Amino acid sequence: MTTTPVQPEDKAEIAVLKTVAARLKEARQLAGIHDYQAVNWLGVQAIELTKLEEGIHTSPLSAIKKAAQIYGVSIDYLFGETDDWELCPEIRKERDFSAHLQGLFAAEQAKVAVKLVEQDSQITTLSEVVTTLAPAIRAVYDAMLRFWELNPHFDQMAAGAPVIHYLDLADKAGREATCKLVRTGLLSLAALQNYSIAETQEDQLV
């Protein structure tokens, strides 16, 4: 096959040539055909193929038609008349449907990612609340125990026993919440430093 060097003064032809050259290379790559294979199948030398794909030489119509057949694309695609490189209508439909499914899958993945971010934010907030609240409840509980120690009859006073009871429940709830977050890895073991080993064992941490 004989190729012709580009004439610089033919500006319109040069524009078409550049399009054909770019599409020839793109079509070959889309078809998964190596340049050494294209050389044999098109009947050109390696240097000629390079010049054709770089737009240095013009491509004979016979070569364009043959390339379209080998690469499985339309001649309109090689001339830039269409951007749809797939020649077979059925394969185009399958490709478009596959692209649609991929789009839906990507959209669902995006929704899941948003939910995960929201959940992560909620978990972080919960961890921060427990980290702050549980020690505070513990401090109040210890202070009340000290007050009771200094005032032995406090539990016999009006509303004294209920105060101790509810403080005990609040401390236990804070301890259990902390232990659960430690078990799930959302809090470190350092969060249990305010509790005794016996108390954590009571909550089945170990």
Side-chain angles (χ1 to χ4, degrees):
M1 181 182 69
T2 303
T3 60
T4 305
V6 174
Q7 300 298 324
E9 62 273 12
D10 299 333
K11 294 182 179 180
E13 292 184 10
I14 290 175
V16 174
L17 174 63
K18 288 182 178 180
T19 298
V20 173
R23 289 295 176 90
L24 280 172
K25 185 174 183 179
E26 187 176 299
R28 177 175 61 78
Q29 293 173 339
L30 287 171
I33 297 175
H34 293 286
D35 51 2
Y36 67 85
Q37 294 174 311
V39 165
N40 292 329
W41 295 342
L42 291 175
V44 298
Q45 297 180 358
I47 187 64
E48 289 180 326
L49 178 65
T50 300
K51 289 180 178 180
L52 289 174
E53 293 184 350
E54 291 182 355
I56 298 175
H57 279 195
T58 57
S59 303
L61 292 178
S62 59
I64 294 176
K65 181 178 179 181
K66 192 172 184 179
Q69 294 173 342
I70 293 173
Y71 299 156
V73 298
S74 66
I75 293 179
D76 285 342
Y77 172 78
L78 293 180
F79 276 98
E81 297 297 323
T82 178
D83 291 330
D84 198 338
W85 58 271
E86 187 58 66
L87 186 61
C88 176
E90 292 301 322
I91 295 180
R92 279 204 303 269
K93 289 180 181 179
E94 291 179 5
R95 183 201 59 203
D96 293 341
F97 181 67
S98 176
H100 177 66
L101 289 181
Q102 290 178 353
L104 291 178
F105 180 68
E108 288 301 317
Q109 282 186 316
K111 292 179 182 179
V112 171
V114 170
K115 290 182 180 179
L116 288 177
V117 170
E118 292 176 350
Q119 291 176 355
D120 183 66
S121 178
Q122 293 171 351
I123 291 173
T124 299
T125 301
L126 176 62
S127 300
E128 292 174 350
V129 169
V130 172
T131 302
T132 303
L133 188 59
I137 294 174
R138 184 66 178 189
V140 173
Y141 180 73
D142 290 341
M144 182 56 69
L145 290 181
R146 178 59 178 164
F147 180 80
W148 189 10
E149 182 181 344
L150 297 175
N151 300 273
H153 301 294
F154 172 73
D155 61 329
Q156 298 175 11
M157 296 172 61
V163 169
I164 295 175
H165 173 68
Y166 286 116
L167 276 174
D168 183 61
L169 290 180
D171 180 64
K172 183 178 181 180
R175 185 177 70 245
E176 289 176 348
T178 301
C179 288
K180 288 179 180 179
L181 290 176
V182 170
R183 282 200 297 270
T184 57
L186 296 174
L187 290 178
S188 66
L189 286 173
L192 298 175
Q193 62 184 357
N194 294 322
Y195 303 108
S196 66
I197 296 178
E199 287 174 321
T200 55
Q201 286 177 335
E202 180 182 340
D203 292 318
Q204 298 181 349
L205 178 63
V206 295

